[in-house]
Amino acid sequence: MNTCVPNASRKSQIDEVLLKLPGVRAKKISGLDAYFVDDKMFACISGNGVGLRVPAATAIELQFSRGDVVPFQPGGMASSREWIQIDRADAADYEQDIELFRASLEFVKGARTR
């Protein structure tokens, strides 16, 4: 059972923010709407938020400094230390996180593949 299905208008608002970044493509993976750069996932919609891959130190800092950032746990399962989730009631407000999305994109582009 997938409880992480975003409503269409919320997804389209998030698409507006993320798909304008250079090289970003959207596709579904494991039931999640995900965003990729160079075939590597850097963000995805999960529940009421957007999961985002950042350096582990940045993830820790953001979780302690921002009330809208929590550990990324898609479907209630813990993920890696490099993933956080930003929860915003209004999806249009993700525009405020554009620099963080850009930093994530650059981090993922530079990451080694496993």
Side-chain angles (χ1 to χ4, degrees):
M1 175 165 71
N2 186 353
T3 60
C4 298
V5 178
N7 74 37
S9 66
R10 184 170 177 82
K11 181 188 178 320
S12 67
Q13 289 176 304
I14 294 168
D15 281 353
E16 283 183 36
V17 174
L18 296 180
L19 294 178
K20 70 181 175 186
L21 296 171
V24 173
R25 292 183 324 115
K27 62 182 174 180
K28 276 225 188 265
I29 182 167
S30 300
L32 295 174
D33 288 295
Y35 301 88
F36 290 77
V37 63
D38 294 344
D39 291 325
K40 299 175 192 170
M41 186 170 74
F42 77 95
C44 67
I45 301 172
S46 179
N48 294 323
V50 174
L52 188 65
R53 185 173 174 206
V54 295
T58 301
I60 292 167
E61 176 191 335
L62 289 169
Q63 289 176 54
F64 283 102
S65 66
R66 287 182 49 171
D68 60 352
V69 174
V70 297
F72 181 59
Q73 298 178 323
M77 304 291 288
S79 66
S80 91
R81 300 176 308 144
E82 293 181 339
W83 281 88
I84 58 167
Q85 180 166 314
I86 304 169
D87 291 327
R88 292 202 175 266
D90 183 347
D93 290 341
Y94 284 109
E95 187 68 42
Q96 297 171 32
D97 300 306
I98 195 70
E99 290 306 316
L100 188 54
F101 289 121
R102 281 191 181 112
S104 171
L105 183 146
E106 291 302 321
F107 172 68
V108 169
K109 278 174 59 174
R112 293 188 317 229
T113 55
R114 295 179 194 200

